Amino acid sequence: MKSYKRYITLCLLAVSAVGLPACNKKLEVAPGSYIVPDQVKTESDVRAELLGAYSNLQHYDAYGERAILIPELLSDEGELSFEGTFLTYRQYQDKAQLKTSAIAEGIWQRGFKTINNVNIVLSNLNLVSKDNKTAIEAEAKFVRGLMYFNLCNLFGKPYSAGAVTTNLAIPLILDPIIAQEDLQKGYQPRATVDAVHKQIVADLVFATTNLGETNEKGRANKYAAYAILSRVYMAEGLYDKAAIAANEVIKSDAFALTSTFDKAFNNGLNSSEDIFAIQQTNQSNAGTVNNGLQTFYAGYDFGSRGDIIIDLDKIPAYEPDDVRGSFFYENYGLAVDDGFYTGKWKEQYKVIPVVRLAEMYLTRAESNLRAGTTVGAEPLDDINLVRERSHATALAAVTADIAVAERIRELAFEGDKLWTYKRLKKSVGAFTYTDNKLVLPIPQRETDVNTKLTQNPGY
């Protein structure tokens, strides 16, 4: 009975929209209490649920830290070293994580809490005015598509591994879980990679069609949906579609590369190239002591732990004049004397880019090269545009492999490397792209409660 009650608590956690504009008293519901059926009565309540979903994205179990940090630790080939005192993080760098991992459990719980927020929104669209209904539905589906893509990547084999109709990912839960009588909706088996991807694409395509071109700070517009959709199509090997999706963002002229590389990071507000980003302030953030992306990646002098040291001899090769190759600084950490740290996550309380315009140029270039398509600009022009911003020498020719190398340089420490390696079937050191330890365990706590869940191999 104890486990049963615990699972109810997980499924029914109420929204705590910390740091987002309050539009309703329901936003003040404390974490740990749960939503009762009569709480969502008005359009304002529906909006509050949607804001709650965005608040969850800021959490350290989502894009405030682990959605970016854990893939980097798993994909490490010696370029970084976790020197902190938290053994659970070092286990991920060593590819030795356990099925009892609190990190995997936190990512799972936060992910499905966010999905439940969205499902509550979608089940109450009848309360929303006709003028606002489609936009709210589209925004909710963007968040759900984004979160399912993150969870599917982490807990399932990559799409590139094939067998997508038999390989298992995560439960596909599309109905809200509000009260005890809804609990069985959460007791679902793991859906296949194919089924989850189809839902992700459906949600994001709806968002691209029905979201507006602009939105409030920190919230999605249609171009954010196109950007994430381009990632999904890349993962599926549908490079022609990936090129089209990335091109939609680029040709909108809604975004522009920052004038210098450093200006893309450590900003109090979105930079000109942030397509979708997590907002942070000193009052609302993913953590400043033991959690949060900057907490681990920044040196001790910047109010952080300084746990992740960069080995400059093992980072991707940069030309001498390429400023990305010198975007590091020397400092010391909580557990070490000194070391080098990436400049991308240097300051606390700053915006965390989830997807930047530079990625769209790199995606369009590589996708056109692999698909043999001619969407937008020439691949060489796209690659050189990104390189020019960093003062790297213009290339005379480009191949798909060169485009990938540029992607690794540009997006280093932003959580992209593992997914790039997996879609291209590249090994991470001695670990093949399908290695069991490059996939997170289904949390033991969840398999104990829901007997329909099967554990990933290797755990």
Side-chain angles (χ1 to χ4, degrees), residues 388-442:
E388 180 183 6
R389 194 260 298 267
S390 296
H391 305 297
T393 304
L395 301 176
V398 65
T399 64
D401 288 344
I402 290 174
V404 170
E406 194 64 33
R407 187 182 189 96
I408 296 299
R409 282 189 286 267
E410 176 72 23
L411 303 180
F413 315 115
E414 295 182 52
D416 181 79
K417 179 183 172 182
L418 182 63
W419 315 129
T420 296
Y421 273 38
K422 284 191 172 188
R423 70 175 169 84
L424 296 177
K425 303 183 181 182
K426 291 171 60 71
S427 294
V428 177
F431 296 84
T432 66
Y433 78 103
T434 58
D435 194 286
N436 294 329
K437 285 302 183 178
L438 296 183
V439 178
L440 270 59
I442 306 303

Side-chain angles (χ1 to χ4, degrees), residues 19 30 35 127 142 166 169-170 183 214 216 220 230 239 264 290 293 329 335 376 382 414 418 425 438 445 452 457:
I35 301 165
L127 299 175
F142 166 83
T166 54
I170 48 179
L183 193 58
T214 60
E216 297 175 23
S230 75
Y239 291 107
N290 292 326
L293 203 58
Y329 62 98
D382 281 342
E414 295 182 52
L418 182 63
K425 303 183 181 182
L438 296 183
R445 182 172 178 176
K452 294 180 180 179

Side-chain angles (χ1 to χ4, degrees), residues 12-66:
L12 308 183
L13 284 173
V15 174
S16 176
V18 180
L20 289 170
C23 64
N24 188 280
K25 289 294 184 181
K26 302 300 182 293
L27 288 175
E28 298 175 6
V29 177
S33 61
Y34 59 82
I35 301 165
V36 293
D38 63 351
Q39 273 193 304
V40 181
K41 292 182 176 180
T42 68
E43 180 172 330
S44 293
D45 296 328
V46 176
R47 290 180 178 275
E49 284 292 335
L50 181 57
L51 291 177
Y54 278 109
S55 178
N56 284 331
L57 295 182
Q58 183 197 65
H59 196 272
Y60 59 80
D61 277 322
Y63 287 92
E65 179 201 309
R66 291 172 176 171

Side-chain angles (χ1 to χ4, degrees), residues 288-301:
T288 59
V289 179
N290 292 326
N291 283 110
L293 203 58
Q294 289 93 343
T295 300
F296 289 109
Y297 266 119
Y300 195 70
D301 282 341

Side-chain angles (χ1 to χ4, degrees), residues 324-382:
R324 296 172 300 184
S326 59
F327 200 52
F328 302 92
Y329 62 98
E330 191 171 10
N331 205 248
Y332 66 100
L334 193 63
V336 295
D337 292 331
D338 56 39
F340 285 93
Y341 297 88
T342 174
K344 289 187 175 182
W345 314 118
K346 189 174 183 178
E347 298 181 34
Q348 296 279 11
Y349 317 130
K350 302 302 182 181
V351 166
I352 298 175
V354 173
V355 56
R356 300 189 284 119
L357 182 62
E359 179 185 336
M360 295 298 98
Y361 284 115
L362 297 168
T363 292
R364 186 172 70 176
E366 182 189 347
S367 295
N368 273 328
L369 288 164
R370 294 192 185 280
T373 49
T374 56
V375 177
E378 291 292 329
L380 182 61
D381 293 336
D382 281 342

Side-chain angles (χ1 to χ4, degrees), residues 70-217:
I70 295 305
E72 284 296 324
L73 292 175
L74 286 175
S75 66
D76 171 57
E77 297 176 287
E79 63 269 24
L80 57 83
S81 177
F82 188 88
E83 299 292 342
T85 58
F86 295 144
L87 176 62
T88 49
Y89 286 91
R90 187 175 290 111
Q91 287 174 341
Y92 280 90
Q93 185 182 20
D94 295 339
K95 288 79 169 170
Q97 61 274 14
L98 306 174
K99 64 183 179 181
T100 54
S101 166
I103 291 175
E105 183 178 301
I107 292 171
W108 180 283
Q109 292 176 9
R110 184 61 50 175
F112 280 102
K113 178 180 178 181
T114 306
I115 289 167
N116 196 47
N117 285 135
V118 169
N119 289 340
I120 290 171
V121 169
L122 296 175
S123 69
N124 284 284
L125 290 173
N126 60 300
L127 299 175
V128 180
S129 66
K130 182 179 179 181
D131 290 343
N132 298 328
K133 182 176 180 179
T134 301
I136 288 178
E137 180 180 1
E139 201 169 354
K141 287 184 174 179
F142 166 83
V143 174
R144 187 170 69 181
L146 174 66
M147 188 53 68
Y148 260 122
F149 188 49
N150 184 49
L151 293 177
C152 187
N153 283 338
L154 289 169
F155 291 98
K157 294 288 187 182
Y159 202 94
S160 59
V164 294
T165 58
T166 54
N167 281 344
L168 299 179
I170 48 179
L172 199 54
I173 302 173
L174 305 178
D175 294 314
I177 300 170
I178 299 175
Q180 287 193 17
E181 55 267 28
D182 299 325
L183 193 58
Q184 290 304 315
K185 298 176 184 177
Y187 286 145
Q188 297 292 328
R190 297 170 66 189
T192 65
V193 171
D194 179 63
V196 177
H197 265 251
K198 284 179 177 175
Q199 185 62 53
I200 293 167
V201 171
D203 281 348
L204 293 176
V205 167
F206 187 91
T208 64
T209 305
N210 294 288
L211 277 174
E213 295 185 0
T214 60
N215 207 338
E216 297 175 23
K217 180 184 69 173

